[in-house]
Amino acid sequence: MQSTKAKYQSRFIPVAGTDDRLRLFAGSANIPLAQEVARYLGMGLGPMVRKTFADGEIYVQVQESIRGCDVYLIQPTCRSVNDNLTELLIMIDACRRASARQITAVMPYYGYARADRKTAGRESITAKLVANLIVKSGADRIIAMDLHSAQIQGYFDIPCDHVYGSPVLFDYLLSKNLPDIVVVSPDVGGVARARAFAKKLNDAPIAIIDKRRQTHNVAEVMNVVGDVAGKTAVLVDDMIDTAGTIHEGAKILRKEGARQVYACATHAVFSPPAIERLSGGLFEEVIVTNTIPSDAQFPQLKVLSVANLIGETIWRVHEDTSVSSMFR
């Protein structure tokens, strides 16, 4: 079978002769990913000075003229979330004041997305608050990958291109020729994601884990809806934070007779004690992408790159061509 890497690269052919009006800059959150995106586009990252003062204030200066240019700023708002978000806002403001024609914030990971609605009194909807901050700072467009919920696109009063990292994940899974796959949603809210994922895996059946969450980052699994006995269970989620949901889900899947358990997620947040939970022997593999930089290492971990996908999205936005057609 053709390798996943070759198959993926053949779908998104690297761009040659990039328009001089296109400029690419990277924040400090995930420079290796930004460098990969730049290589895909056949260009370099623009020069930018980033400094932090003794009291924690962030300073940004663009070191080349971007007047009249279309600027793309690659910056996931991952750990340290507040610093990276502030840096993105300052980068956008610097480019606006430098007379950029259009500023696009490329956010492989959108922090503060989990509070996307009010579930109790006196709560903040931080997903909307962050959207307001980005728009007010001067961004003209957003490119985001695998938002925690699709409704967040509507929080922006500017165009928002929602990109999916799932093609990278299911291409890798298909290359492994796994037998008797059942795609498992770790909760009811992820059913639509699991169903779309299953369709790409040759219309595999799905199962749902019914759980009750007692408090933030603590999940109590109740039961499994669907048949997983003797099958290869693929748990699909948008992110793995403390791995409580995935870990409890894997335990009940093993209890219900699943022969193998794989975990798939776009965003590897990996807050403690995620590594201990994921490397404890419940999973054959934990498959994530490089939207968030991580130095985590354990035998079951497999990290896939989404650089080509992001690079192709940037090029299509710049050329005013369809982004959604990439996922058909």
Side-chain angles (χ1 to χ4, degrees):
M1 173 178 283
Q2 185 182 22
S3 72
T4 303
K5 182 177 180 181
K7 179 181 178 183
Y8 192 75
Q9 288 181 338
S10 69
R11 188 191 307 178
F12 302 112
I13 301 171
V15 175
T18 305
D19 190 338
D20 287 341
R21 202 161 41 87
L22 171 61
R23 300 295 174 85
L24 197 65
F25 294 89
S28 60
N30 196 344
I31 292 176
L33 174 60
Q35 290 171 334
E36 285 188 56
V37 172
R39 282 196 295 269
Y40 176 84
L41 289 168
M43 61 188 299
L45 293 172
M48 180 180 287
V49 170
R50 295 175 298 274
K51 294 191 293 188
T52 302
F53 291 106
D55 64 351
E57 289 185 9
I58 296 170
Y59 171 85
V60 170
Q61 182 191 31
V62 179
Q63 293 199 296
E64 67 178 10
S65 175
I66 55 172
R67 185 179 297 273
C69 293
D70 294 337
V71 176
Y72 293 80
L73 306 173
I74 301 176
Q75 176 80 335
T77 51
C78 50
R79 187 184 298 115
S80 298
V81 180
N82 297 333
D83 288 346
N84 288 331
L85 174 59
T86 301
E87 183 179 337
L88 174 62
L89 299 176
I90 295 172
M91 289 166 62
I92 294 170
D93 184 69
C95 292
R96 179 175 61 87
R97 296 178 187 279
S99 300
R101 190 181 77 91
Q102 180 169 276
I103 302 167
T104 301
V106 182
M107 304 178 69
Y109 173 72
Y110 184 87
Y112 282 112
R114 281 171 281 194
D116 56 4
R117 64 194 184 282
K118 289 188 70 172
T119 59
R122 300 173 297 282
E123 285 184 335
S124 171
I125 304 177
T126 55
K128 172 59 176 170
L129 172 62
V130 170
N132 288 344
L133 290 171
I134 292 170
V135 172
K136 289 296 184 182
S137 66
D140 299 293
R141 179 181 290 271
I142 300 294
I143 296 175
M145 177 165 282
D146 276 341
L147 292 168
H148 188 60
S149 62
Q151 71 193 42
I152 294 174
Q153 296 173 79
Y155 295 170
F156 291 95
D157 295 325
I158 56 178
C160 177
D161 291 293
H162 190 197
V163 183
Y164 301 97
S166 53
V168 182
L169 300 172
F170 58 67
D171 279 359
Y172 175 75
L173 287 170
L174 285 172
S175 73
K176 294 180 71 66
N177 292 317
L178 298 173
D180 298 323
I181 290 178
V182 56
V183 176
V184 183
S185 173
D187 52 36
V188 175
V191 171
R193 182 185 299 110
R195 186 176 290 117
F197 204 92
K199 184 176 181 180
K200 295 295 185 180
L201 292 177
N202 302 318
D203 285 320
I206 71 169
I208 305 166
I209 295 175
D210 177 38
K211 72 176 184 183
R212 301 290 185 270
R213 187 177 293 280
Q214 304 299 319
T215 185
H216 296 300
N217 294 131
V218 177
E220 179 184 347
V221 173
M222 304 300 289
N223 51 59
V224 177
V225 180
D227 181 21
V228 299
K231 297 185 177 182
T232 301
V234 179
L235 272 162
V236 179
D237 211 346
D238 64 317
M239 70 171 72
I240 300 176
D241 189 358
T242 61
T245 297
I246 291 286
H247 180 259
E248 293 299 318
K251 286 200 297 186
I252 195 169
L253 289 173
R254 293 287 190 182
K255 182 180 178 181
E256 293 293 322
R259 181 168 55 186
Q260 294 180 311
V261 180
Y262 288 78
C264 287
T266 303
H267 308 301
V269 180
F270 287 174
S271 301
I275 305 305
E276 290 79 1
R277 288 171 169 168
L278 296 172
S279 60
L282 286 172
F283 302 94
E284 269 64 38
E285 276 191 313
V286 177
I287 307 162
V288 297
T289 75
N290 61 342
T291 57
I292 296 174
S294 175
D295 56 3
Q297 292 183 347
F298 53 95
Q300 297 90 343
L301 181 63
K302 177 67 177 180
V303 181
L304 307 175
S305 178
V306 293
N308 289 6
L309 181 55
I310 293 174
E312 181 66 17
T313 303
I314 290 172
W315 181 249
R316 291 187 181 216
V317 169
H318 182 65
E319 290 293 293
D320 295 323
T321 58
S322 173
V323 172
S324 61
S325 62
M326 294 163 56
F327 306 100
R328 293 172 188 163

